[in-house]
Amino acid sequence: MSGPDRLELYRQMLRIRRFEERCVELYSATKIRGFVHLYIGEEAVAVGVLPHLSEDDAVVATYRDHGHALARGVPMDAVMAEMYGKVEGVCRGRGGSMHLFHAPSRFYGGNAIVGGGLPLAVGLGLADKMAGRDRVTLCFFGEGAMAEGEFHESMNLAALWKLPVLFLCENNLYAMGTALDRSESETNLAIKASSYEIPAWTCDGMDVLAVWDAAHRAVELVRDGVGPVFLEAKTYRFRAHSMYDPDRYREKTEIEHWRERDPLLLLSERLRADGEADDDTLAGIDAEVTAEVDHAVAFAEAGADEPVDDLTRFVTSEGVRT
Ligand SMILES: Cc1ncc(C[n+]2csc(CCOP(=O)(O)OP(=O)(O)O)c2C)c(N)n1
């Protein structure tokens, strides 16, 4: 097995980090409104798993979806325009931060409902299986979704019908303000999933190379036709649940402890130690990424608001093939 392009993994994680840091500024400036859930701290998960998918595969995300979309290759300009609510956004500005959706990338959201993506992924997997297509559906969800009925129904059907779905749980320890052991009787999530006869294991979600390895094995298994696989990535969000969350349920020392395992820090230390990158290389990547974010902001600023006459468009379907 050939290894990943580690500088590219670094660049992809930095794209998400810098994009979201800019979103914080733009939110304070009221350029971006509504709900915004940041992925900062969790970048290694999306960036470690998505290189294993092909263009034909599908991705289902949660409302913490900027990182998933950018790592999937949804154009940053169109993502930023969506954050601004502009027509040039991926959903014409009608979805906003939580509902990024991009058909050309087979990116099926952006779902505001906790656990809402799981049955959708099962449906995509079922369609592929029935049509005999060699495709994988990757479904991201948080550990909070595992206390819901939708999780159990989805696991059961996916396992029963041996559907080609990779269920990827991003366990950041808190569902809003609720710690895992306050909401779930079985806190070993891989054990919970494996009770459905699904191969299930856990990886270090702060180490992008560990995620890359675990995802490589998981995607291969799904492609081999064993049916669904469950992977838990243990991760942490450095910011509050959303921009509205006062974040009073975590000790600062806990956050600081996890910051020492910042995925960007871990990888940059390894790149330096292995002589693959020095300060100049990393600064160069940062400059390129910052220019990409600047471009996206300029694109969104120059975008248009949807005309009032279009208000009722898409309420019923338009141009749908029967
Ligand atoms: C069905 C449903 N119930 C409740 C909510 C309110 N809610 C929004 S986020 C959230 C916590 C989800 O936590 P988790 O799934 O672990 O994802 P994370 O935010 O940690 O990434 C809750 C309960 C919702 N959006 N949908």
Side-chain angles (χ1 to χ4, degrees), residues 31 81 84 86-88 294-305:
K31 297 277 187 183
Y84 267 68
K86 298 289 181 74
V87 175
E88 292 79 3
D294 288 344
H295 188 277
V297 173
F299 179 82
E301 286 281 343
D305 291 327

Side-chain angles (χ1 to χ4, degrees), residues 95-156:
S97 163
M98 291 206 280
H99 305 108
L100 303 176
F101 187 102
H102 194 242
S105 311
R106 299 207 71 223
F107 187 79
Y108 290 90
N111 289 288
I113 303 301
V114 173
L118 288 150
L120 177 62
V122 171
L124 286 162
L126 179 61
D128 287 336
K129 177 140 189 175
M130 289 174 73
R133 290 187 291 249
D134 178 23
R135 288 175 173 175
V136 171
T137 295
L138 166 64
C139 180
F140 290 99
F141 54 95
E143 83 291 349
M146 289 187 63
E148 295 202 344
E150 280 184 302
F151 169 78
H152 297 280
E153 294 180 23
S154 300
M155 290 294 126
N156 183 53

Side-chain angles (χ1 to χ4, degrees), residues 45 47 63 66 96 122 142 146 160 185 190-191 209 214 271 276 281 316:
V45 187
V47 170
Y63 47 83
H66 316 147
V122 171
M146 289 187 63
L160 187 67
S185 59
I191 285 184
L209 301 175
L271 290 168
E276 205 175 324
T281 327
T316 54

Side-chain angles (χ1 to χ4, degrees), residues 37 42 62-64 112-114 141-145 148 150 170 172 174-176 237 241:
H37 302 81
E42 304 190 25
T62 66
Y63 47 83
R64 201 177 295 288
I113 303 301
V114 173
F141 54 95
E143 83 291 349
E148 295 202 344
E150 280 184 302
E170 302 186 297
N172 62 17
Y174 295 89
M176 292 179 107
R237 59 173 160 75
H241 165 74

Side-chain angles (χ1 to χ4, degrees), residues 27 75 146 290:
Y27 193 86
M146 289 187 63
T290 302

